[in-house]
């Protein structure tokens, strides 16, 4: 069993959080004039941001910069939990956004939706890898 590198895990979390916040904001910019409800925009932004950030984290950390936990064999139950985390993070971002106004607030909501969703998903992945009997190579 290989020892986990703290730098690799930290790099993965930083990539996950930054990419999720950026993608959440971009998706919100795309969706803000479509007539969708802000709550639905937040959920879509958070979900897309979570998926994109997971892919980016996997590509950068596991395939590129170093060896981190191999998430390619994550059980489908963890993926379902990540989707639920995405909904929870997005709804929290929407509720925080209610105190702001204007188009900038909508972009801020998308960035928060991606950020909160990614943080919740990262907590799920850390918990999965901590309690998994599968060695992390």
């Amino acid at each position: 069993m290989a020892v986990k590198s703290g730098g690799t895990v930290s790099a993965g979390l930083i990539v996950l959080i930054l990419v999720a916040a950026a993608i959440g904001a971009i998706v919100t910019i795309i969706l803000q004039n479509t007539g969708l409800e802000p709550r639905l925009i937040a959920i879509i932004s958070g979900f897309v941001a979570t998926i994109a950030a997971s892919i980016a984290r996997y590509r950068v950390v596991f395939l590129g910069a170093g060896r981190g936990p191999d998430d390619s064999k994550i059980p489908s139950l963890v993926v379902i939990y990540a989707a639920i985390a995405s909904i929870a993070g997005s709804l929290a971002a929407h509720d925080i956004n209610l105190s702001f106004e204007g188009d900038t607030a909508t972009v801020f909501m998308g960035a928060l939706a991606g950020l909160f969703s990614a943080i919740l998903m990262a907590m799920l992945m850390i918990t999965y890898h901590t309690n998994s009997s599968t060695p992390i190579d």
Side-chain angles (χ1 to χ4, degrees):
M1 180 169 168
V3 177
K4 291 186 275 185
S5 166
T8 304
V9 172
S10 297
L13 291 176
I14 290 169
V15 167
L16 184 77
I17 288 170
L18 292 177
V19 170
I23 296 295
I26 291 168
V27 171
T28 301
I29 290 170
I30 293 169
L31 295 177
Q32 72 182 354
N33 294 323
T34 59
L36 294 173
E37 294 285 326
R39 189 176 300 256
L40 184 59
I41 291 174
I43 291 171
I44 293 170
S45 297
F47 185 73
V48 171
T50 302
I51 299 298
S54 298
I55 293 169
R57 181 196 145 307
Y58 176 77
R59 307 262 307 153
V60 168
V61 175
F62 184 70
L63 297 178
R67 270 194 75 79
D70 184 4
D71 292 340
S72 63
K73 298 175 186 168
I74 297 295
S76 60
L77 185 61
V78 175
V79 174
I80 292 168
Y81 288 161
I84 293 169
S86 160
I87 292 170
S90 299
L91 292 177
H94 174 266
D95 290 348
I96 289 172
N97 187 56
L98 291 176
S99 61
F100 298 100
E101 296 178 6
D103 290 338
T104 305
T106 306
V107 174
F108 180 67
M109 177 186 68
L112 278 181
L115 179 69
F116 291 165
S117 298
I119 289 170
L120 289 171
M121 192 192 74
M123 290 169 43
L124 278 169
M125 299 311 294
I126 289 169
T127 302
Y128 171 75
H129 286 298
T130 301
N131 295 321
S132 176
S133 60
T134 308
I136 298 174
D137 293 326

